[in-house]
Amino acid sequence: MRNLKYNIYNLFVLGAMVIAVSSCKKDGNPNNLPSVSASSYEGKIDGYLSSDEVYPKNLVAYWSFDTDNKETKSGVAPTTAVNSSLVDGGVKGKALNLSAGYLYYATQLNAFKTDSLKSFTISSWVQILNNGSKRTMLFTIARPGIFNGSLDFRLNTNSFPSTTTNILRVGPRFTTVGGGSQDNLNNSLSPIIGADKWTHLVLRYDGTTGVFNIFGDGVNIGSFNNRGVGNNLFKSYEPGEIIIGAHYNNIPGKSTNADVTFAAMTGKIDEMRVYNTILPDAHIKALYNLGIAGK
């Protein structure tokens, strides 16, 4: 009888333990969420398989430079291409190589019309050196006959000699609703550059707050980010033209004055993307990490 009572007690304890374990398992997933498989994340970087998956609905202009110089969303080809070629060794596939060259698009892109572009993020990979004498215009939404564009993605390659590869001053500017000018500069932080190093540069502008950021290799490096609202907000004027690698004054017959601040670009460009929204920091970092991985 004693052994029977002992066995009954043991069964009671065992049953209580089973119930307790079952209860713990249930409490560990109180909302009955579906299970997650590690295989779903294989090959992904920051949640993405490629740069093409980053904010695709807001990507309004894209130059891959894999097969030609067309802007892929509109299919618009450059009106003029000078000292340019497509070469192997890009961040993804081929890249645009400029030897004191540029691409000029005289066609107004719908994505850059006044009512279409309020906020933006512009991402581009470059291989470039300082030159100690001339600025480089990486990308501009130019205004015919006017020196300053609606947006000028300027690289102050004039600031240091070519031997300086630990500092690149990025000095973008834009024209405001009131007709004035706002800019930014990376006074203290800088990405590393080099003739054979791909450097990721990003401009991000919030058309509601007036905050204008510069990123270099995934890091926010700008020094003068708050550019104001009201008449200080960015405006994409019409008509607008696109120039990659040069200023109007570098294009024969298009000069607006005698200013010789800029020289046509010598270097490489790849994966130039324009979004009509502000990409969060984590997604800018993802574009950098994906590019480093060739994705």
Side-chain angles (χ1 to χ4, degrees), residues 45 91 288-295:
I45 295 176
V91 175
Y288 169 66
N289 289 332
L290 287 161
I292 290 296
K295 296 184 175 185

Side-chain angles (χ1 to χ4, degrees), residues 14-28:
L14 180 60
M17 291 175 64
V18 170
I19 292 172
V21 171
S22 299
S23 176
C24 288
K25 287 183 178 179
K26 184 176 181 180
D27 289 342

Side-chain angles (χ1 to χ4, degrees), residues 33-41:
L33 297 175
S35 61
V36 176
S37 172
S39 63
S40 300
Y41 294 89

Side-chain angles (χ1 to χ4, degrees), residues 77-117:
T79 307
T80 307
V82 173
N83 296 332
S84 67
S85 61
L86 300 182
V87 296
D88 293 329
V91 175
K92 287 175 62 180
K94 292 182 180 294
L96 174 68
N97 181 59
L98 297 174
S99 181
Y102 58 85
L103 304 178
Y104 166 53
Y105 301 77
T107 303
Q108 167 77 63
L109 298 185
N110 290 332
F112 297 156
K113 288 186 174 181
T114 304
D115 293 336
S116 300
L117 197 65

Side-chain angles (χ1 to χ4, degrees), residues 19-235:
I19 292 172
V21 171
S22 299
S23 176
C24 288
K25 287 183 178 179
K26 184 176 181 180
D27 289 342
N29 188 14
N31 297 315
N32 294 317
L33 297 175
S35 61
V36 176
S37 172
S39 63
S40 300
Y41 294 89
E42 289 179 1
K44 290 189 176 182
I45 295 176
D46 296 335
Y48 295 112
L49 286 172
S50 82
S51 302
D52 298 332
E53 294 182 352
V54 178
Y55 276 63
K57 293 182 179 179
N58 296 101
L59 183 65
V60 296
Y62 173 43
W63 286 265
S64 69
F65 300 120
D66 284 336
T67 58
D68 54 41
N69 294 323
K70 290 181 180 179
E71 189 288 300
T72 60
K73 292 290 183 178
S74 63
V76 172
T79 307
T80 307
V82 173
N83 296 332
S84 67
S85 61
L86 300 182
V87 296
D88 293 329
V91 175
K92 287 175 62 180
K94 292 182 180 294
L96 174 68
N97 181 59
L98 297 174
S99 181
Y102 58 85
L103 304 178
Y104 166 53
Y105 301 77
T107 303
Q108 167 77 63
L109 298 185
N110 290 332
F112 297 156
K113 288 186 174 181
T114 304
D115 293 336
S116 300
L117 197 65
K118 302 294 185 181
S119 298
F120 57 78
T121 304
I122 301 175
S123 168
S124 184
W125 289 84
V126 299
Q127 282 187 2
I128 197 165
L129 290 172
N130 289 302
N131 57 56
S133 60
K134 299 289 184 180
R135 276 180 168 175
T136 299
M137 186 74 80
L138 178 60
F139 172 88
T140 177
I141 304 176
R143 302 175 65 190
I146 300 175
F147 182 79
N148 288 321
S150 293
L151 173 67
D152 298 323
F153 199 154
R154 305 178 304 188
L155 307 180
N156 294 354
T157 47
N158 58 309
S159 299
F160 298 94
S162 60
T163 52
T164 301
T165 57
N166 63 333
I167 303 175
L168 173 68
R169 290 292 177 238
V170 184
R173 63 153 303 282
F174 62 83
T175 302
T176 68
V177 170
S181 184
Q182 294 290 343
D183 58 14
N184 201 337
L185 184 68
N186 56 319
N187 263 354
S188 55
L189 299 175
S190 177
I192 302 298
I193 60 173
D196 298 314
K197 181 193 178 299
W198 282 110
T199 302
H200 188 222
L201 299 178
V202 174
L203 300 184
R204 183 180 69 189
Y205 178 76
D206 189 332
T208 60
T209 64
V211 174
F212 190 30
N213 296 122
I214 306 170
F215 288 78
D217 286 345
V219 177
N220 194 333
I221 61 175
S223 301
F224 307 98
N225 299 325
N226 296 303
R227 310 318 302 153
V229 296
N231 280 340
N232 289 321
L233 290 171
F234 163 77
K235 180 177 179 179

